[in-house]
Amino acid sequence: MTGGSQPIERLDRFMARANSVYYATHDPFADFATAPEISQVFGEILGLWAAVVWRALGSPSPVLLVEAGPGRGTLMADALRAIGRAAPDFGGALRLHLIEASPRLRALQAARLPVATWHEGLDTLPDGPLLLLANEFLDALPIRQFVWRAGRWMERHVGPDGFVEMPLAEAGGRLPGLLPGVPSDGTVLEHNAAALAFATALARRFAHVAGAALFLDYGPARRGFGDSLQAIAGGRPANPLAPAGSGDLTAHVDFQAVAEAAQAAGARVHGPVPQGPFLAALGLFQRTNRLARHLEPARASALMQAAQRLAEPDRMGRLFKALALSSPGGALLPGFEPG
Ligand code: SAH
């Protein structure tokens, strides 16, 4: 504690607290549009992805269908509708489990997905075959940031007047993970321990139960230096260090680190691949066209534009990536085939 009213807090603890206040008090989807809120086809094709993977696993019944960070429940509602039409046997076998921290969002989800069971994390999920979907979940998990100063790493904390850099508390000032290059003064390095722990825990599960997990999120395919912490408040970029809970805090996902952690824990890793080609390979445009044929021109054109927004490289198609984890020895997964 300092003499001021606000303690100095390590960045990851500040971010965790800020987001739990934010998600408990705001409708995040008034502030930003996520893929399932942009087009219903997004959730539909992810539901069909899960159905295809379920069949490749030998159609286990029952099977857990899990979503991490379901937001308004839109992705899963769209997925279940598509599954009910195209793969009713999967629909009958699946048991819906949702990982959600926010009581406010749980209530929204319950209105659309009444048969689900809610969890705080992976630990309380029942054992057994598992398919997990997560869109823009890992980017909301808290990160630590390190800054290279005069030949050593300092760690960013948040104080009453902004960032405070403190010597690394770890033994010998060692950093978690490998460096992506040679730092210069002021270089920032991020570390998402919570995302890595989530991937590791899933990978350990896949060592003894059949399953696959699909993450869609934004971030580079290869690890690098740089500060990617950002806040959105009222639909606009905002100061990430504004009082906790006034904005939604996210950071780029380090897909390389997530992939390496999962692999080290024994999972098979697929991707990352850019979201645009991934969704296109799963039939985003075919499905969109088929739906659009039955709509009046204005709505048909809005649906087409939504698909383009998800897939075009200069919109969400390149920065967003798909990464999947599965049981070792399992088959290739749809959307991750080479070529
Ligand atoms: N997947 C949704 C929502 C993305 S926002 C969509 O694409 O629209 C992030 C979601 O993750 C919210 O539902 C938020 O409450 C949840 N979340 C964030 N941190 C979490 C944590 N530590 N544990 C569980 N859920 C979390």
Side-chain angles (χ1 to χ4, degrees), residues 23 29 32 34 36-37 67 69-71 99-102 105 109 120 135-137 140-141:
Y23 284 110
F29 309 97
F32 55 84
T34 56
E37 306 297 333
E67 186 179 356
I99 296 176
E100 175 57 65
S102 156
L105 289 179
Q109 292 153 18
E120 293 282 332
N135 185 62
E136 290 209 47
F137 170 67
L141 299 181

Side-chain angles (χ1 to χ4, degrees), residues 34-36 42-43 45-47 49 67-69 75 132-140 213-219 253 255 272-279 282 310 316-317 319-324 336:
T34 56
F42 184 80
I45 60 183
L46 295 195
W49 181 92
E67 186 179 356
L75 188 164
L132 181 140
L133 302 173
N135 185 62
E136 290 209 47
F137 170 67
L138 297 177
D139 68 10
L214 176 62
F215 295 97
L216 288 119
D217 224 309
Y218 71 111
V253 173
F255 282 102
V273 298
Q275 171 169 290
F278 177 76
L279 295 179
L282 296 183
L310 298 180
M316 294 169 77
L319 178 59
F320 281 75
K321 310 280 189 308
L323 177 82
F336 296 97

Side-chain angles (χ1 to χ4, degrees), residues 206-234:
F206 292 151
H208 63 94
V209 300
L214 176 62
F215 295 97
L216 288 119
D217 224 309
Y218 71 111
R222 306 290 302 172
R223 183 181 305 134
F225 289 125
D227 175 358
S228 75
L229 182 68
Q230 56 177 271
I232 301 280

